Amino acid sequence: MATAYAYPFYGPPPPPEDAPVFSGSAELGFTHLTGNTDSQTLIGKVLLTWLTGNFTYSLRGEVRNVSKDGETSAEQYLLSVRERYELDGPHYLFGFARWEKDRFAGYDQQLSAIGGYGRQILDGDIHTLSLEAGPGYRDDRLRDHDDYRLAVAYTALDYHWVFSDYADIQQEMSVEYTDQNTTSRSLTALTARLNSKLSLRLSHEIKHNSQPPDDTRKRTDTTTSASLLYRW
């Protein structure tokens, strides 16, 4: 059985009664091609989760780097912290802060702070589903341009399906609407457990910006990866 509390991405499900006070996971994917093509790709993610009474806290860090023939073509960093407070019944409150830096997205960096209300629609051994929404604030810092301080309307879902004792599927989506643009994110992941600590993960991530900065060529970034996931 998967430990659902190990995946607080947008709307984490409530931890099981026997969940440890502190847990974490580390994910690493790396490819290196030589010969006719000289390229390398690095994807690293770390997630720490700890419990205090009705609170669930999580700290998440991510890094992505892609280079080809000595030239960097993708360089992304993310750091976020969030909390969830359990209310009576299938209700909770949440809040999170996030820092992002994407060298090729047209922003020098983005700072976000969002909070609101969530509801646990499903909470079983096979299926879990969380929905949440709330207001927030984002500071977009552009290169060689004025900064934008934006009000945000946010909504998200987190669905988890454990379809066998050794494998599960995770689907996470969020939308952040401002008067400048709408940012949508999606993560689809298939995780197959190799043993109690180590798993193989196949994932596909999509990030879409409806109106990116003028010096950005594409509105949509996608990442498809295979990686090893270690839990403790």
Side-chain angles (χ1 to χ4, degrees), residues 44-108:
K45 302 180 182 181
V46 175
L47 176 64
L48 303 176
T49 304
W50 61 99
L51 312 177
T52 304
N54 288 338
F55 285 95
T56 300
Y57 298 97
S58 66
L59 176 65
R60 183 164 60 101
E62 298 183 7
V63 59
R64 293 176 175 85
N65 185 283
V66 180
S67 62
K68 183 176 181 179
D69 298 326
E71 296 288 336
T72 300
S73 57
E75 186 176 344
Q76 303 170 354
Y77 305 93
L78 181 146
L79 181 66
S80 71
V81 59
R82 69 165 289 156
E83 65 179 7
R84 166 176 170 148
Y85 180 76
E86 301 295 335
L87 301 173
D88 291 335
H91 313 282
Y92 65 90
L93 302 177
F94 74 92
F96 71 85
R98 182 183 63 223
W99 171 81
E100 294 180 272
K101 187 176 183 65
D102 189 338
R103 179 178 170 186
F104 296 93
Y107 298 98
D108 183 51

Side-chain angles (χ1 to χ4, degrees), residues 85-134:
Y85 180 76
E86 301 295 335
L87 301 173
D88 291 335
H91 313 282
Y92 65 90
L93 302 177
F94 74 92
F96 71 85
R98 182 183 63 223
W99 171 81
E100 294 180 272
K101 187 176 183 65
D102 189 338
R103 179 178 170 186
F104 296 93
Y107 298 98
D108 183 51
Q109 61 180 351
Q110 291 180 290
L111 301 170
S112 305
I114 296 173
Y117 165 79
R119 182 177 176 87
Q120 194 70 41
I121 305 300
L122 301 174
D123 183 20
D125 293 336
I126 305 300
H127 301 279
T128 61
L129 173 64
S130 301
L131 301 177
E132 62 185 35

